[in-house]
Amino acid sequence: MTDVDTRPVNGHTLTKLHPIPPELVGPPPPPAVAPDTVEAVDRPDNPLADWLTVPDAPVLPAWARSAASIRANVTAFVRLSWWQARYHGIRTPKYLVKTLLLAARGFYRATVGLWPTLSAQDHSAVVKALRAQSRARPEDVELAARLQLAHGIRTRTRRWRFGAAATAVAAATIGIMLADPLVQAGVAAAVVTPLAHLGRGKDTVLLDQGAPPLRVDMSAQQLNDALRAAGLLKSGRGDEEGPRVTCTMGPVRDGRGWAVIFDLPRGGGKTASDVLAKREVIAQELGVDEIQVIMSRVRAAKGGNAGRVSMWVADDDPYLGEPTPSPLAKAETFSIWDPIPFGQDARGNRIEVPVMWQSMFFGGLPRRGKTFTQRLMTAAGLLDAYVRHYVADGKGGADWMPMRAVAHRLVMGAEDGAIDALKAMLAELLVEMERRFAILRELPTNICPEGKLTPELVRLKNLPVIFVTIDELQEYFTAMEKDDREQVINDLCRIARRGPAAGFVSNFASQRPDAESVPTKLREIITLRYSTQVVDKASSDMVLGKGKAAQGADASVLSEDHVGTGVLVTGPASYITVRADYLDGTGFAKLCATGRTLRQAAGQLTGDAVGDVTAAADAAGLTLAPILSDVLEVMRHSPRMFTTDLIAGLVNLDEDVYGDFNGERLAAELEGAGVKRTSKQVKISGTTLAGYQRRDIEAAVPAEILLDPNTK
């Protein structure tokens, strides 16, 4: 049972629920039957015992068992209703403006939908066909007469349709103008409402969320009690309370939560790092989930010390809700020298990440948004024409396929051919890195003052920034022989360690990076790290760095609901939990197409992207049979391939489409797409089996694509 109490706190009026005294609840209901009757009913030889058992539950709900309880709950309901009425009433002009905007969008959509009918497009196809035939045979009088007749029918149809629409609109307008104001308002509402409904979007919300502003209360006393329960403050003797923290700010309301900055008392032997390590216990003592507690040290640069902590406690989970679309999705260009828009923190502050002179590592469990987040960094480089992309995807799925339109080198999968292509790509990168260092060493200090690449040198010496993106690293390492694995690891370490000065940006990702999948010597030289949900603190430290979980940077506290949310470590003692911006596969593919156009205009389209027939077809607006596009993607690194291996690659690419394919169906689909096999058997490494030649697949590509000067 609860009662309602209203009191001012820090300038806010809080509505609290407190227990109702037992005397107001009333006595408990009398037993339904006498004890001896119950005993007789409960006899084991009574066949009706189960059916006659009276439920041990009250007849009325708790709030309706006494007059005092009913009055208290009704009063609380009236106060809440009055608060909601004032909240939405003051926002009525805003709601009207939003409704009118939605109605305008709905009117546009309705006009677009009705235009084909008004313009008699159902007759246009006949007119266009007859016109084309008449131009081809101008001497055919009968054909000309049929064209004239069809054209006349379409003209008359357009006239009466537009006339009927104009008459209806004019009549409605005159009728509304002559009607009473009350009728005009009703007609306006009847017109605007369906138009606004038609103009709504998938995520359109007309009314603001009118939730009461306070969900979590916090005071200095509660904070001290929580820290004492966590063992961070000593307990007093006897009636003494013991040492307390000194609050340099707050607790005060800050957005959708409480903020406080406090200093631990001296003499207790506890530091700010000890507080961060007790985050879960402190959250429990405050009565919230640990994901709602955001804590960090206040460093000396901001007036802090080793015992000063900044804490923000959210009213609810700050990382749930609809994701924020990435600003890159609507951008036309972007400079990779600027910080990349990455996401938002718990308070809704925009987080941007500078990537020049940095290397990045992304980790976490599958299907938690790791690849989508990694692609945000690469997507920024797509909008800069002077960024050259080297991409390898160990999984070989559809996530990175759109990069074929832009990537200088693109390696898909972890088969033998793909591993050879990866090693060749790394060797090429190392040669390019040494070439650049040789160029930078010879430049005068007034042009290259720090021996590093600059925005001016990018264009002056044609040295575009190189973005090295490798996803699912563990797939490559587990598929390699020991010697190849060591060589690749050493190459990656050299690129990540020395490459930034030459304009190399490393962007690596893996699942749980243990010593077998991604060795420590590679992980430890990465400067920026981001982890989505992992299973435990040890796994979190494997991604973010040893000891980070003890400092508070712990990705294991995230749940399966936090898709796209992770912990970002930007330095030895700097970290933040970020809800990354959302960029779906369609948006990423559009950015790849935009990136190809920008590079063609700047003369920076190079490498594999130039000779990719699928990307050339997409850029030319031509339709290429999906089976041709997918088979060419699977055979990217192989001039010939056995049928079984080809089907396995297609299944990995899109299991929903190719999961039921066999050799006969694959042959039928390719034959329908125009593929003519010069031989049904191929020889690979001394073994001859049924398979396909890549040149036979490419021969089915439209000639206008192969003859395009941008396709080699």
Side-chain angles (χ1 to χ4, degrees), residues 151-367:
H151 189 276
I153 293 174
R154 186 182 66 173
T155 301
R156 289 191 296 272
T157 303
R158 285 179 174 177
R159 287 175 179 173
W160 77 259
R161 289 183 181 179
F162 276 104
T167 302
V169 171
T173 302
I174 294 173
I176 293 174
M177 293 177 63
L178 297 178
D180 294 333
L182 187 61
V183 176
Q184 290 178 343
V187 173
V191 172
V192 170
T193 300
L195 288 178
H197 180 75
L198 180 62
R200 75 193 191 286
K202 181 180 179 181
D203 300 324
T204 299
V205 178
L206 180 62
L207 301 181
D208 293 344
Q209 295 297 322
L214 299 183
R215 297 186 182 181
V216 175
D217 192 10
M218 186 169 69
S219 64
Q221 182 62 44
Q222 289 173 316
L223 175 62
N224 280 279
D225 291 343
L227 294 175
R228 187 166 285 109
L232 298 168
L233 295 178
K234 293 181 179 179
S235 300
R237 296 180 180 179
D239 296 334
E240 296 181 0
E241 185 181 14
R244 299 169 58 87
V245 299
T246 302
C247 294
T248 60
M249 185 198 78
V252 297
R253 288 294 297 176
D254 183 3
R256 294 181 59 84
W258 288 91
V260 61
I261 299 176
F262 61 88
D263 288 336
L264 292 171
R266 298 182 182 181
K270 299 296 182 181
T271 65
S273 298
D274 296 322
V275 178
L276 302 184
K278 293 286 187 177
R279 174 184 175 189
E280 184 176 2
V281 179
I282 294 173
Q284 188 273 331
E285 292 297 328
L286 292 175
V288 297
D289 189 270
E290 59 186 302
I291 199 68
Q292 296 174 242
V293 180
I294 313 298
M295 296 191 297
S296 62
R297 286 190 57 183
V298 182
R299 311 297 296 192
K302 298 182 179 180
N305 55 68
R308 180 165 292 183
V309 179
S310 174
M311 177 188 295
W312 186 74
V313 182
D315 293 334
D316 48 22
D317 193 327
Y319 304 110
L320 297 181
E322 293 297 322
T324 302
S326 172
L328 297 171
K330 296 183 178 180
E332 296 181 358
T333 59
F334 185 83
S335 174
I336 201 65
W337 297 86
D338 296 331
I340 296 176
F342 188 69
Q344 295 180 343
D345 66 5
R347 305 192 200 192
N349 299 319
R350 168 58 57 181
I351 303 299
E352 296 181 335
V353 179
V355 297
M356 289 304 299
W357 327 126
Q358 305 287 347
S359 52
M360 299 171 286
F361 186 84
F362 294 81
L365 292 173
R367 293 171 294 280

Side-chain angles (χ1 to χ4, degrees), residues 76 92 139 156 175 341 510 583 626 683:
T92 300
E139 71 282 0
R156 289 191 296 272
S510 174
L583 180 65
K683 187 176 182 180

Side-chain angles (χ1 to χ4, degrees), residues 663-700:
E664 291 76 12
R665 184 174 178 184
L666 176 62
E669 292 285 343
L670 289 175
E671 184 177 354
V675 174
K676 297 180 179 178
R677 300 167 70 179
T678 56
S679 173
K680 294 185 178 181
Q681 302 286 321
V682 296
K683 187 176 182 180
I684 303 175
S685 301
T687 303
T688 302
L689 294 172
Y692 291 85
Q693 303 273 1
R694 190 173 62 195
R695 64 171 181 264
D696 294 340
I697 310 299
E698 292 177 342

Side-chain angles (χ1 to χ4, degrees), residues 56 72 109 680:
D56 186 16
R109 291 177 177 176
K680 294 185 178 181

Side-chain angles (χ1 to χ4, degrees), residues 355-396:
V355 297
M356 289 304 299
W357 327 126
Q358 305 287 347
S359 52
M360 299 171 286
F361 186 84
F362 294 81
L365 292 173
R367 293 171 294 280
R368 294 295 184 270
K370 170 176 57 66
T371 297
F372 275 58
T373 309
Q374 184 193 17
R375 287 195 315 195
L376 282 175
M377 320 310 285
T378 302
L382 292 172
L383 296 176
D384 190 334
Y386 286 88
V387 174
R388 183 175 296 169
H389 290 274
Y390 288 73
V391 181
D393 178 16
K395 184 172 63 176

